[in-house]
Amino acid sequence: MSHTKLPWSVGHSISGVVTIDDKNNHLMQALKNPEFGSNDLSEANAAFIVKAVNNHENLLDALKDIARGQLQVPDFERYAKNVAARAIKQAEES
């Protein structure tokens, strides 16, 4: 069984509960901050989870490209830095 289709997103926020939704806006997870009435921590946690999940495949693919490229690319260090930099940039911008 595989996980719910990506991308995930931070959903609505009501009374200290923040949701994480799938691409069809179906509720996947609800996060509750122990400090009733404050959504800041729940929203930050939800955003962190969503960012990590949505970038997981790209970062993994970049690492696989680097691992495969070690024997195929004459200037491996520059190749690896470029692949890693692209993956990092995409993760930071999302």
Side-chain angles (χ1 to χ4, degrees):
M1 177 178 250
S2 72
H3 62 75
T4 305
K5 300 257 186 245
L6 299 176
W8 294 1
S9 63
V10 177
H12 59 280
S13 171
I14 301 171
S15 298
V17 177
V18 177
T19 65
I20 296 176
D21 303 331
D22 70 7
K23 70 181 210 168
N24 296 315
N25 291 325
H26 295 128
L27 172 67
M28 297 189 13
Q29 183 67 45
L31 303 173
K32 173 106 173 105
N33 182 353
E35 297 177 25
F36 182 75
S38 171
N39 288 352
D40 293 346
L41 182 59
S42 296
E43 288 176 3
N45 287 339
F48 182 74
I49 291 166
V50 166
K51 187 172 190 174
V53 167
N54 288 342
N55 284 288
H56 173 78
E57 290 297 325
N58 289 333
L59 293 170
L60 185 59
D61 288 345
L63 287 172
K64 287 178 182 178
D65 284 349
I66 290 169
R68 282 191 297 263
Q70 187 170 7
L71 301 175
Q72 301 168 2
V73 178
D75 189 358
F76 175 70
E77 184 177 349
R78 182 172 41 175
Y79 167 79
K81 285 180 180 178
N82 288 338
V83 169
R86 281 193 307 268
I88 290 167
K89 182 179 180 186
Q90 184 174 5
E92 289 178 341
E93 290 176 351
S94 64

